[in-house]
Amino acid sequence: MNSLLALGARLPLYWSFRRSGWPVQLPLNVVISASYRCNSRCLTCNVWRAGQAGTCQGGQEEAAGDLSLEELDCIFRSLGHGPYYLTFSGGEPFLRQDLVEIVSSAYRHCQPAAITIPTNGLLPDRVPGYVEAILRNAPRAQVIINLSLDGLGEEHDRIRGVPGNWDRAMRTLQGLRALQRTPNFVLGIHTVVSRFNVERLPEIARGLMALEPDSYITEVAEERVELGTMGAEITPSAEQYAAAARFLIDEAEAHGATGFARITQGFRVRYYALAARILAERRQVIPCYAGWASAHIAPNGDVWTCCTRAEPIGNLRVAGYDFGRVWTSPRAWQLRQSIRGGECACPMANASYTNMLLHAPTLARVAWAAVRPGGVPR
């Protein structure tokens, strides 16, 4: 609760930062791509090609060019207590044998309230043990592990491009269930809604929710520079996604939630509605704060305002691992003006949740939904 109150007190600073450029704030939401190495071959993502090109011999350490643990430690120190929310993505982040040490360093220097790590579940003998160590080393952060599942059984294997993926993911799920009594652990399931599964989303979602995760979330497959999917036509049509969004909102309303979960559910429902509007209207429906309140660190140290555009505003190695120096570079201000001018629009979930938090009307609707009896805000 104290961390939420502290976060609320920071929101006006970000409104001012976006409006006038002052006072400069470090991002409250930071994504760190630990490596592009990946053992999946998804129909919706080609990031593994970049990781394959840079993998060290044997693939046992970080890929050639990836930031080392020592470099990341310097970066986290420069970020200080700025980030409220950290995400460690990939590629497959659990391919980094030093992932526990990386996350522990971030927790020590940044003291985030929440840490999210997605996984494809292909390493059932590694993931649960690593997560247990992370939970032990980050006791005051909520640690969310999102198991990525895009279909049921062989359908998931086909979309993810690895035979046996479903069975291995189920083994990973069982290993993670043993940690569910840990107070700061959230076991999530995450689905990428693409043209390959959108028509079957109701059946897929019900099947995955039957696995009884602590949370079930989806996001829209996007053409992203980072993922090497520009021109790949993986995004569902606006009409297809609108139908999927209606289903997801109806499911949330039918199942309800209690306590703090009503707040997270409220944001989730608003995201589904927001993403549907962005796909249909092809514009920033609410102001985007990428470059002000959210940022992305690439495996080679490039800093982006977001991973959809993936346009570097500077490189942390070149800047002596000083995040603030990159964050206030001329290129950073140039890209902020482009984003503020509405020259891009996307439904990327990570940035969208930050945007909703900083959008007063959305925040008010979510707050009202959390205290009033009945359903969730549409």
Side-chain angles (χ1 to χ4, degrees):
M1 182 59 70
N2 289 338
S3 64
L4 283 175
L5 293 174
L7 176 61
R10 293 173 62 187
L11 300 186
L13 299 176
Y14 286 99
W15 297 336
S16 177
F17 182 27
R18 190 178 190 276
R19 183 174 58 251
S20 67
W22 182 89
V24 173
Q25 299 292 302
L26 293 181
L28 60 86
N29 173 15
V30 181
V31 179
I32 301 97
S33 289
S35 177
Y36 285 146
R37 284 197 301 142
C38 193
N39 44 3
S40 287
R41 298 294 183 265
C42 302
L43 295 177
T44 57
C45 177
N46 291 318
V47 75
W48 62 272
R49 296 183 186 278
Q52 189 177 57
T55 302
C56 294
Q57 186 176 2
Q60 297 302 309
E61 304 297 335
E62 66 267 18
D66 285 356
L67 292 164
S68 68
L69 171 61
E70 292 73 21
E71 289 177 304
L72 286 165
D73 188 77
C74 293
I75 293 166
F76 298 141
R77 187 182 300 115
S78 78
L79 278 167
H81 289 190
Y84 181 87
Y85 193 108
L86 292 178
T87 300
F88 293 88
S89 68
E92 168 54 42
F94 285 93
L95 283 172
R96 291 246 352 202
Q97 292 187 338
D98 56 358
L99 182 66
V100 173
E101 290 77 14
I102 290 171
V103 178
S104 300
S105 170
Y107 177 77
R108 184 170 62 254
H109 291 300
C110 303
Q111 295 292 299
I115 297 169
T116 293
I117 310 174
T119 179
N120 58 28
L122 284 170
L123 299 170
D125 297 326
R126 175 181 293 189
V127 172
Y130 276 29
V131 173
E132 184 176 19
I134 289 169
L135 291 169
R136 186 169 56 247
N137 293 349
R140 292 187 299 278
Q142 185 179 61
V143 178
I144 306 106
I145 303 298
N146 281 327
L147 183 60
S148 297
L149 298 172
D150 292 344
L152 302 171
E154 292 182 0
E155 176 183 37
H156 174 70
D157 293 357
R158 176 180 57 82
I159 294 173
R160 289 282 167 156
V162 178
N165 188 323
W166 175 264
D167 291 338
R168 288 158 74 179
M170 290 304 99
R171 285 176 54 201
T172 299
L173 181 67
Q174 288 304 115
L176 292 171
R177 285 197 190 283
L179 303 173
Q180 277 187 288
R181 293 185 179 180
T182 308
N184 62 326
F185 179 52
V186 175
L187 174 56
I189 290 179
H190 171 275
T191 297
V192 176
V193 182
S194 69
R195 68 179 181 87
F196 306 109
N197 63 3
V198 64
E199 299 290 355
R200 283 184 24 83
L201 185 66
E203 181 180 346
I204 293 168
R206 290 190 178 110
L208 295 177
M209 286 188 282
L211 297 174
E212 299 183 340
D214 297 322
S215 71
Y216 175 70
I217 61 174
T218 73
E219 70 172 303
V220 185
E222 296 178 82
E223 296 183 16
R224 296 184 190 173
V225 172
E226 178 203 22
L227 304 182
T229 53
M230 299 305 294
E233 298 183 354
I234 58 176
T235 307
S237 70
E239 294 76 15
Q240 287 175 319
Y241 185 76
R246 284 193 296 271
F247 162 77
L248 292 167
I249 292 170
D250 288 343
E251 283 292 299
E253 189 170 55
H255 289 88
T258 59
F260 184 76
R262 293 192 68 165
I263 297 176
T264 57
Q265 183 190 63
F267 276 111
R268 196 169 300 142
V269 166
R270 293 310 307 157
Y271 167 70
Y272 298 144
L274 176 65
R277 286 191 61 188
I278 292 171
L279 288 179
E281 300 174 26
R282 300 181 181 274
R283 68 179 181 90
Q284 291 179 20
V285 175
I286 64 175
C288 181
Y289 278 81
W292 289 275
S294 57
H296 194 120
I297 300 174
N300 69 345
D302 280 348
V303 177
W304 306 327
T305 57
C306 73
C307 64
T308 300
R309 292 178 59 154
E311 298 176 45
I313 61 174
N315 183 278
L316 288 162
R317 283 172 168 151
V318 175
Y321 310 106
D322 183 345
F323 189 92
R325 180 179 166 190
V326 173
W327 197 236
T328 55
S329 68
R331 180 58 176 159
W333 294 110
Q334 183 181 12
L335 275 179
R336 288 186 186 110
Q337 289 308 307
S338 171
I339 295 166
R340 187 177 178 182
E343 295 178 5
C344 56
C346 76
M348 184 176 64
N350 184 279
S352 291
Y353 281 102
T354 301
N355 296 342
M356 290 187 294
L357 177 68
L358 286 155
H359 185 238
T362 297
L363 189 60
R365 293 189 69 182
V366 171
W368 170 241
V371 298
R372 72 179 174 89
V376 295
R378 287 182 176 271

